[in-house]
Amino acid sequence: KTTDAGTTWINLSSGTNSNIENIFFLDNNTGYIAGGSCLGEPCSGIIMKTTNSGTTWTSLSVQTNYLYSIFFVDANIGYATGSTGTALKTTDGGKSWISLTSGTSNSLESLFFLDEKTGFIIGTGGTLLRTIDGGITWTSLSSGTTQKLNGFSFLDANTGYIVGDGGTIL
């Protein structure tokens, strides 16, 4: 954690030995991490939450595949994605999670929501999915590549960028 624009960093303890793939903070105090462990087969996912700026992390009860990304729209609605097409949603701040049907078995590497209803997921094999109903249904869009897609940035509802393996920028 940094409190001086990145000049110095404080080492915090997550309380887990699992891999942490992604972090998302709603505000100064409330944050979530997602990841997993492959010590046993199959790999398993974790989601943890902090309410004190990362000083302590609490494991949330979720039985899932390895997770790569987590994103919250607001204090209650959040999503997580991971291996083998895993897509999850919470409507109670992470207390419970439901599985969503992503329509793919590809690994889902990252997700981004513009608002409560409109979101995107990217992943391996050039996977690009969009929802306009809060994750109830996902539509496959053509990304024009078969490269693994890794990250997003949106400037507004119409302008966005995606990056991926092999120097891919969309």
Side-chain angles (χ1 to χ4, degrees), residues 28-40:
N28 189 47
N29 293 313
T30 309
Y32 297 85
I33 54 178
S37 174
C38 290
L39 296 176

Side-chain angles (χ1 to χ4, degrees), residues 64-77:
T64 189
N65 295 321
Y66 196 98
L67 296 173
Y68 294 111
S69 190
I70 193 161
F71 188 96
F72 273 75
V73 176
D74 59 33
N76 292 312
I77 300 172

Side-chain angles (χ1 to χ4, degrees), residues 37-169:
S37 174
C38 290
L39 296 176
E41 288 297 328
C43 298
S44 61
I46 62 157
I47 297 175
M48 299 179 83
K49 180 179 182 178
T50 183
T51 56
N52 57 13
S53 301
T55 302
T56 58
W57 294 87
T58 303
S59 184
L60 301 178
S61 179
V62 58
Q63 298 293 320
T64 189
N65 295 321
Y66 196 98
L67 296 173
Y68 294 111
S69 190
I70 193 161
F71 188 96
F72 273 75
V73 176
D74 59 33
N76 292 312
I77 300 172
Y79 298 86
T81 58
S83 63
T84 62
T86 298
L88 306 172
K89 180 178 183 178
T90 183
T91 57
D92 58 12
K95 293 176 189 158
S96 63
W97 294 83
I98 59 167
S99 291
L100 303 173
T101 303
S102 68
T104 183
S105 60
N106 289 346
S107 287
L108 302 176
E109 303 290 324
S110 189
L111 71 151
F112 189 93
F113 272 75
L114 298 169
D115 55 43
E116 185 177 321
K117 298 287 184 188
T118 309
F120 296 88
I121 298 174
I122 56 174
T124 59
T127 299
L128 174 57
L129 306 173
R130 177 181 63 195
T131 185
I132 56 171
D133 58 13
I136 296 168
T137 57
W138 293 91
T139 302
S140 180
L141 303 175
S142 174
S143 67
T145 184
T146 58
Q147 293 288 340
K148 182 176 89 162
L149 302 176
N150 299 315
F152 283 106
S153 181
F154 278 88
L155 299 175
D156 56 43
N158 293 311
T159 307
Y161 297 87
I162 299 172
V163 295
D165 287 2
T168 301
I169 301 176

